[in-house]
Amino acid sequence: MATEPSPQRAYRAACPNCGAPVDFRSAASAFAVCSFCRSTIVREGEALRKIGESAELFDDHSPLQLGAGGKYQGSGFTLVGRLQYRYKDGTWNEWHALFDNGRSGWLSEDNGRYVIAFDAELGGAAPPAEQLRPGGQKIVAGQPWTVASVTAAKLIAAQGELPSKPNTERGFVVADLRSTRDEVGTLDYSDPAEPKWSIGRSVAISELAMTGLAGGAEKTLKARSIECPSCGTSLEVKLSTTQSIVCHQCHAVVDLTSVDGAGKGIGGDLAHYAQDNGDEPQIPLGRVGTLKLGKIARAWQVVGYVERCEEGEDEQSFWREYLLYHREEGFAFLVDAEDGWSWSAPITGVPTPSGNGVRYQGAQYREMYRYTGRITYVLGEFYWQLKRGERTSNVDYQGPGGKRLNLEMTEGEQVWSAGETLNAADVAKAFRLDADKSAALKRDAGPTSGNAASLLAKIFFWVFIVVVLLMLFRCSDDDRRDCEPLRASYGEASQEYQSCLASNRSSGYRTSGGSWGGFSSGGGHK
């Protein structure tokens, strides 16, 4: 744990409601939530007064907890408070970090990773919330920012020591903005007359050298007896941030965002949808492999699998994505496309437009493709809420030395991801794949010679072709459903219906490496 913040005088008094001890580590903290009776308490000089009650926290099994400590930019800190928010796709946490020098900050979740941020002065009027649109450009506090997401949220619970009164009475708008300086800014409109502004940067738990984290093994929700609402099979949720899970028995996609601490949404009440059977992933779910995704090689576990298709007027293509998880690094994506393998992870900042592409961290990236993607099949757990037939608009960029960028846009959010290409042999070795599966990964090996290795390559080449045709059938079948209203209105032979089908037909397989990033999580941070 971090050292106690010596410049501050710790203060302890009895909760006016239940008598339990309530600690204030910072003289600047005026509010706290009693850990025993959840009373919201205001500090008035040397006395405490109850002003309300906080709801019970949703147990999301975060590795963070009160009392955990770490270091950021050479200064130690301790987590002393927690705010928990709900939005349409789930929940997220913001942890009040008290630094040894008396400064307060916020450690919060951001697209499967973490951001540490500090409150800042606006220095002028904030842009009205109704004027913010994802992808829009705004000047805030004298600096240019790109709007990443605009979300309606509500504070649902609080815990520990807080710098201001937690308001759980009404919802509000929160907007995340990104800069070319690799920063994330958040506009909090909980008080529309005086919006709050904070600026942060992306961090990994490993970079913070944290101690006092929750138990090393991931807890599960198995004790809550969550059953598949479609077939009744017991669902064991392994990750703290899971918003959607796929039943291993019937493959129904189950939404977990409605499950709360009181058990609401259990069993048949859980939102879910059925999906057609897909292909088994070449890398099994649960398999752990050591890959260098960035600066350091780490052990990543496969927790999710996605098959996606591209929609377009001229061609339609397909690729696969594996969602990888590391307890201290968060999430990353392993992408399997016809031209090879690559990895990616969401980034905090945004690139700078430059010529026919963008510049990011000193490198020039050339625009390669623009397309619309759609999920056709999923397995495993996901930190975002999966929605049937949801589409994303994507732009792929290629940089030097195998570097890649992707911009993914939905109606309420846009997310940039960065990554690099990978060697198929390295992927096979990392996940200890058998020789037959390893051969299937190497798509660029043409079946030309007559030896045994060539025969094996031929077999997997044709297996791959069959898989593509099956994916094509599934995506085309979805397209027929998309055109069904026109068929019902104008008839199967009508020009309207035939034109709809033609606009969705396929003729290829994406060679750009996919969208390098999957769907984004939404959420926000302070």
Side-chain angles (χ1 to χ4, degrees):
M1 295 175 62
T3 58
E4 292 297 315
S6 54
Q8 304 295 315
R9 180 173 67 89
Y11 174 77
R12 170 177 286 187
C15 171
N17 185 58
C18 71
V22 177
D23 292 320
F24 288 83
R25 296 171 182 259
S26 171
S29 296
F31 297 87
V33 177
C34 175
S35 59
F36 287 86
C37 68
R38 298 194 301 277
S39 292
T40 303
I41 300 164
V42 61
R43 176 180 173 183
E44 297 174 334
E46 298 297 311
L48 302 183
R49 178 169 60 90
K50 178 180 176 180
I51 59 173
E53 290 185 0
S54 173
E56 184 176 359
L57 285 159
F58 168 61
D59 187 3
D60 57 7
H61 309 295
S62 170
L64 303 178
Q65 62 181 355
L66 295 188
K71 283 191 174 182
Y72 179 69
Q73 296 182 345
S75 181
F77 66 86
T78 301
L79 300 182
V80 299
R82 176 188 187 187
L83 298 174
Q84 189 173 77
Y85 294 90
R86 182 175 295 280
Y87 70 116
K88 64 181 179 66
D89 291 333
T91 61
W92 83 89
N93 296 306
E94 296 179 357
W95 296 86
H96 180 204
L98 181 62
F99 283 77
D100 291 355
N101 58 12
R103 188 182 189 188
S104 285
W106 296 93
L107 180 60
S108 53
E109 299 153 5
D110 176 42
N111 285 323
R113 298 202 166 190
Y114 294 91
V115 160
I116 194 158
F118 300 91
D119 292 338
E121 294 293 331
L122 274 169
E130 59 272 15
Q131 292 183 6
L132 301 178
R133 297 288 184 275
Q137 308 295 313
K138 291 293 180 181
I139 299 295
V140 181
Q143 297 288 337
W145 295 84
T146 299
V147 180
S149 67
V150 183
T151 305
K154 188 177 188 295
L155 177 63
I156 58 173
Q159 181 184 26
E161 187 176 338
L162 304 166
S164 60
K165 177 186 175 181
N167 186 348
T168 59
E169 297 176 358
R170 62 178 182 274
F172 63 97
V173 173
V174 59
D176 279 353
L177 297 87
R178 315 278 170 157
S179 78
T180 57
R181 303 172 297 281
D182 287 334
E183 297 172 326
V184 56
T186 299
L187 282 168
D188 179 334
Y189 291 90
S190 53
D191 181 357
E194 295 185 13
K196 299 175 184 177
W197 173 241
S198 62
I199 299 175
R201 288 183 176 274
S202 178
V203 294
I205 297 297
S206 58
E207 297 172 354
L208 299 176
M210 294 198 70
T211 58
L213 296 173
E218 280 288 345
K219 300 177 183 178
T220 74
L221 296 179
K222 188 175 182 180
R224 294 177 180 237
S225 300
I226 293 179
E227 297 181 351
C228 173
S230 178
C231 70
T233 299
S234 177
L235 300 179
E236 183 178 341
V237 183
K238 300 181 177 67
L239 299 179
S240 64
T241 52
T242 296
Q243 306 281 9
S244 298
I245 187 170
V246 181
C247 176
H248 59 274
Q249 185 68 33
C250 69
H251 294 171
V253 181
V254 184
D255 173 21
L256 298 180
T257 60
S258 60
V259 180
D260 59 21
K264 178 183 177 182
I266 299 299
D269 292 336
L270 285 170
H272 65 284
Y273 67 85
Q275 60 174 351
D276 295 331
N277 289 333
D279 302 300
E280 285 300 310
Q282 293 171 304
I283 306 175
L285 291 180
R287 183 68 59 88
V288 176
T290 300
L291 283 173
K292 186 177 180 181
L293 308 184
K295 299 178 181 179
I296 302 175
R298 298 189 182 278
W300 295 88
Q301 184 176 25
V302 178
V303 297
Y305 169 73
V306 183
E307 291 177 2
R308 302 180 70 182
C309 70
E310 174 193 353
E311 298 176 332
E313 294 183 0
D314 299 324
E315 65 177 32
Q316 197 172 67
S317 51
F318 309 88
W319 67 96
R320 300 160 171 163
E321 297 176 358
Y322 296 83
L323 179 61
L324 306 181
Y325 173 74
H326 184 276
R327 180 174 172 81
E328 295 182 344
E329 295 297 315
F331 293 91
F333 294 85
L334 188 61
V335 183
D336 171 19
E338 193 276 341
D339 66 337
W341 290 77
S342 61
W343 71 271
S344 78
I347 60 176
T348 300
V350 293
T352 304
S354 176
N356 65 341
V358 296
R359 288 191 67 82
Y360 179 65
Q361 294 185 342
Q364 181 70 26
Y365 290 77
R366 178 169 58 94
E367 181 179 324
M368 297 293 291
Y369 301 98
R370 288 179 178 264
Y371 55 97
T372 298
R374 184 174 77 237
I375 286 182
T376 59
Y377 184 66
V378 293
L379 290 173
E381 297 182 36
F382 301 89
Y383 66 84
W384 66 92
Q385 184 183 19
L386 294 170
K387 299 175 182 177
R388 185 203 298 268
E390 183 174 10
R391 293 165 171 80
T392 61
S393 298
N394 301 270
V395 186
D396 291 344
Y397 298 85
Q398 182 173 316
K403 294 183 177 180
R404 292 176 170 179
L405 287 175
N406 169 260
L407 171 61
E408 182 178 85
M409 296 165 284
T410 61
E411 183 179 352
E413 185 175 24
Q414 71 168 26
V415 175
W416 282 92
S417 298
E420 297 181 73
T421 56
L422 289 170
N423 188 294
D426 293 336
V427 175
K429 180 179 179 181
F431 290 99
R432 304 179 309 284
L433 300 182
D434 296 335
D436 55 348
K437 289 189 176 180
S438 297
L441 300 187
K442 301 176 182 179
R443 312 220 197 285
D444 52 351
T448 54
S449 63
N451 55 29
S454 175
L455 177 60
L456 188 62
K458 286 181 181 180
I459 292 173
F460 283 101
F461 173 79
W462 288 110
V463 168
F464 173 70
I465 294 298
V466 172
V467 168
V468 170
L469 291 175
L470 290 173
M471 295 173 70
L472 171 62
F473 174 79
R474 279 202 304 276
C475 203
S476 296
D477 188 56
D478 288 341
D479 291 332
R480 286 185 177 274
R481 286 196 291 267
D482 291 342
C483 298
E484 183 60 25
L486 290 176
R487 189 194 67 80
S489 298
Y490 300 102
E492 188 166 352
S494 67
Q495 182 178 354
E496 289 82 1
Y497 178 63
Q498 295 301 322
S499 295
C500 179
L501 290 179
S503 68
N504 287 327
R505 285 190 179 122
S506 62
S507 63
Y509 192 102
R510 169 157 291 283
T511 59
S512 69
S515 70
W516 306 309
F519 285 88
S520 54
S521 70
H525 33 258
K526 188 170 177 61

